[in-house]
Amino acid sequence: MTSYQNMLIAFALCILMSFGAQAAVVEHTFNVGNKTVNRLCEERTIVAVNNKFPGEWWNANVVDVENEGLASGRPPNNSDAFTINARPGDLYPCSKQHTYKLKVVQGETYLLRIINAALNNQLFFSVAGHSLTVVAADAGYTKPYKTDVLVLAPGHTADVLLVADAPPARYYMAARAYISAVVPNFPRTTTTGIIEYEGASSKSTPTFPPLPAFNDTPTAHKFYTSLTSLKPHEVPLTVDESMFVTVGLGLYQSKLAASMNNVSFEFPSKTSLLQAHFAGAAAGIYTADFPDTPPKVFDYTNETGTLNAGPLVATERVTTVKRVRFGATVEMVLQNTALVGIENHPIHLHGFNFFVLAQGFGNYNTKEDWKKFNLIDPQVRNTIAVPTGGWAVIRFVTNNPGVWLVHCHLDVHLPWGLAMAFEVEDGPTIESKLPPPPVDLPRC
Ligand SMILES: *[C@@H]1O[C@H](CO)[C@@H](O)[C@H](O)[C@H]1NC(C)=O
Ligand SMILES: *[C@@H]1O[C@H](CO)[C@@H](O)[C@H](O)[C@H]1NC(C)=O
Ligand SMILES: *[C@@H]1O[C@H](CO)[C@@H](O)[C@H](O)[C@H]1NC(C)=O
Ligand SMILES: *[C@@H]1O[C@H](CO)[C@@H](O)[C@H](O)[C@H]1NC(C)=O
Ligand SMILES: [Cu+2]
């Protein structure tokens, strides 16, 4: 007999919240406070939520790291450790006791809910001696997909079945970075946990899983493109808003910047986009002219180097949204650019799930690539890792009024401006109108 056990594995802090269309009230209490923690032979006082904390772990003060990065115009310093459920694992100094352990019984099946809660890195994840069967991604059921390795971008989740069918022993689970850009500095460390079978000697040396090379884009692409939804979907076939959006890096006042359709998003400081929208007071806060296409057509993914130094690399900082009616079908072709450098950007959409219709490398070909669309059982996600030097096509229905951010989930790219927002108008019914803010909404 097989029993299922739920295990939550997060590479760093994760906060699970559920929002249903039925609008059930879900209450959470967050106690935010200082906590003294020992990791990597260092003692630090860090801010923890309900006594839980990330770990992706920096020995330095993370606020200093962020500020130093922003002031220099370069990426902030890398973390010193990735973690599994806040434990770095025994490959890091002073971390033998800080190793996540999962006790298993031979013959049982375990459901692992895996969340990449790291800030700036996609991660490969493998378990020695076991294959994994993905049954959901971003909380949408998938056809069971058997694999030896997962890749998750920050914000991605996967529900995975692990059958404890190996000889009773100890096995490492391990995660390390998938680096899609050509950069000299990236975290090369590996976080580990141990799967310990009942009856195995706790002194035995665990076996280690093979992990892909840091730059193994083919393995990442195979995983990202092999998932399909469990059941067929009624994908809307008529598109109301067709957008072609370039996604990538650039320069703003000689500092690194990032943009969508050459708009580097400036976050409003006076009031939130949603408050301004609700008050009908966009003026002075944002404009509603986010472009449907990039201002210039160019050879987006050509890496010859001429792009990096050329006149296209500059971008402008603007607060602008795309206004759409309630119930519209939006299609976005997300096209990575080689300005500064190609990179896989995990683009996250708030407020909606979307269908992933197709993905590929190079420039999106309007005449040919629509033939690759999966309109039957496409994966349903809320974060799409756009292939490095490539493109992805997503489609969704704006059935949720309000202002919804679209942004790269690599934290480093947010202050650089890799974001835009959809302003979805109210629909005709009470249920499709944006409710007023709660009376106790904190003001900035
Ligand atoms: C938390 O620690 C910071 C820096 O060490 C300190 O400035 C702050 O007052 C502390 N907060 C509380 C509530 O103890
Ligand atoms: C970032 O790394 C550099 C080089 O190792 C170091 O000099 C600097 O102090 C680090 N910054 C912070 C905030 O720790
Ligand atoms: C990239 O651009 C260069 C310079 O314009 C050109 O010579 C080269 O053929 C292009 N590469 C591809 C693959 O199109
Ligand atoms: C982006 O906008 C800047 C500033 O207007 C301009 O210099 C640059 O050529 C534009 N780049 C692209 C790719 O359109
Ligand atoms: Cu990014």
Side-chain angles (χ1 to χ4, degrees):
M1 207 185 87
T2 302
S3 70
Y4 290 91
Q5 300 198 24
N6 281 287
M7 300 288 156
L8 183 67
I9 296 187
F11 295 115
L13 176 81
C14 68
I15 299 171
L16 293 177
M17 315 219 346
S18 49
F19 297 95
Q22 280 72 38
V25 174
V26 179
E27 290 197 11
H28 294 267
T29 305
F30 297 112
N31 291 312
V32 181
N34 286 345
K35 185 181 169 77
T36 301
V37 185
N38 285 290
R39 288 289 184 273
L40 272 59
C41 325
E42 308 269 343
E43 183 177 285
R44 287 286 175 275
T45 298
I46 61 170
V47 178
V49 180
N50 294 344
N51 259 338
K52 297 186 173 171
F53 56 92
E56 207 181 356
W57 178 264
W58 275 260
N59 286 330
N61 180 325
V62 286
V63 177
D64 295 344
V65 171
E66 168 90 357
N67 289 340
E68 185 184 65
L70 289 176
S72 70
R74 292 193 302 271
N77 286 1
N78 294 317
S79 63
D80 295 286
F82 296 115
T83 58
I84 295 180
N85 285 350
R87 298 166 184 92
D90 54 8
L91 299 186
Y92 293 99
C94 307
S95 297
K96 217 170 166 60
Q97 319 88 294
H98 301 135
T99 303
Y100 172 69
K101 292 207 179 74
L102 174 62
K103 304 230 185 248
V104 302
V105 175
Q106 198 185 35
E108 301 278 304
T109 299
Y110 296 82
L111 174 63
L112 311 181
R113 314 198 76 189
I114 303 180
I115 303 171
N116 183 345
L119 282 185
N120 290 331
N121 289 105
Q122 304 203 26
L123 293 163
F124 287 119
F125 175 84
S126 288
V127 177
H130 296 77
S131 59
L132 302 163
T133 303
V134 180
V135 292
D138 293 0
Y141 288 121
T142 60
K143 288 194 181 63
Y145 175 66
K146 204 169 172 181
T147 178
D148 291 335
V149 61
L150 309 180
V151 59
L152 291 96
H156 271 158
T157 70
D159 291 5
V160 171
L161 297 179
L162 179 141
V163 183
D165 57 0
R170 304 209 309 154
Y171 302 88
Y172 273 118
M173 58 175 88
R176 72 171 182 190
Y178 160 48
I179 302 294
S180 64
V182 179
V183 284
N185 294 320
F186 60 85
R188 291 171 162 80
T189 63
T190 303
T191 180
T192 53
I194 297 173
I195 293 183
E196 207 165 87
Y197 274 66
E198 191 182 70
S201 155
S202 63
K203 301 235 161 52
S204 61
T205 306
T207 43
F208 204 85
L211 281 168
F214 294 113
N215 64 355
D216 192 345
T217 288
T219 292
H221 193 67
K222 177 160 190 276
F223 179 81
Y224 281 142
T225 54
S226 294
L227 300 176
T228 51
S229 71
L230 180 62
K231 298 233 170 83
H233 284 286
E234 284 183 24
V235 180
L237 300 178
T238 311
V239 172
D240 302 303
E241 301 282 351
S242 182
M243 303 173 75
F244 183 95
V245 181
T246 52
V247 171
L249 304 183
L251 291 180
Y252 179 68
Q253 295 179 347
S254 73
K255 290 182 174 174
L256 280 171
S259 65
M260 299 180 78
N261 274 350
N262 203 26
V263 177
S264 186
F265 192 77
E266 180 76 44
F267 285 84
S269 53
K270 282 189 230 146
T271 183
S272 78
L273 295 170
L274 188 61
Q275 275 169 282
H277 163 77
F278 187 80
I285 306 295
Y286 63 86
T287 55
D289 52 2
F290 181 86
D292 285 343
T293 53
K296 293 192 184 85
V297 173
F298 59 101
D299 188 356
Y300 306 108
T301 52
N302 187 322
E303 288 185 271
T304 52
T306 50
L307 285 180
N308 299 350
L312 293 171
V313 82
T315 185
E316 262 181 320
R317 291 195 71 105
V318 189
T319 312
T320 179
V321 307
K322 162 87 179 165
R323 186 175 290 155
V324 288
R325 69 168 172 83
F326 180 86
T329 297
V330 177
E331 179 177 288
M332 294 177 95
V333 176
L334 297 162
Q335 172 71 61
N336 185 214
T337 70
L339 297 170
V340 180
I342 60 168
E343 182 166 4
N344 182 313
H345 296 275
I347 302 297
H348 174 57
L349 171 66
H350 287 229
F352 312 91
N353 288 330
F354 51 73
F355 298 111
V356 181
L357 301 189
Q359 305 174 64
F361 292 105
N363 298 335
Y364 179 76
N365 183 327
T366 314
K367 291 207 180 66
E368 293 297 322
D369 287 328
W370 64 270
K371 294 175 191 162
K372 300 174 186 154
F373 286 4
N374 178 353
L375 297 166
I376 309 293
D377 59 357
Q379 51 180 302
V380 176
R381 301 206 75 137
N382 56 47
T383 303
I384 176 72
V386 179
T388 182
W391 51 268
V393 184
I394 63 170
R395 204 179 273 188
F396 63 99
V397 178
T398 54
N399 54 8
N400 199 357
V403 184
W404 300 105
L405 205 64
V406 178
H407 66 91
C408 179
H409 221 298
L410 301 178
D411 205 63
V412 52
H413 295 163
L414 260 181
W416 293 3
L418 217 169
M420 56 86 66
F422 283 101
E423 179 180 39
V424 179
E425 293 171 341
D426 279 351
T429 61
I430 297 286
E431 294 76 38
S432 60
K433 287 192 201 311
L434 185 69
V439 283
D440 59 350
L441 180 78
R443 312 269 149 196
C444 357

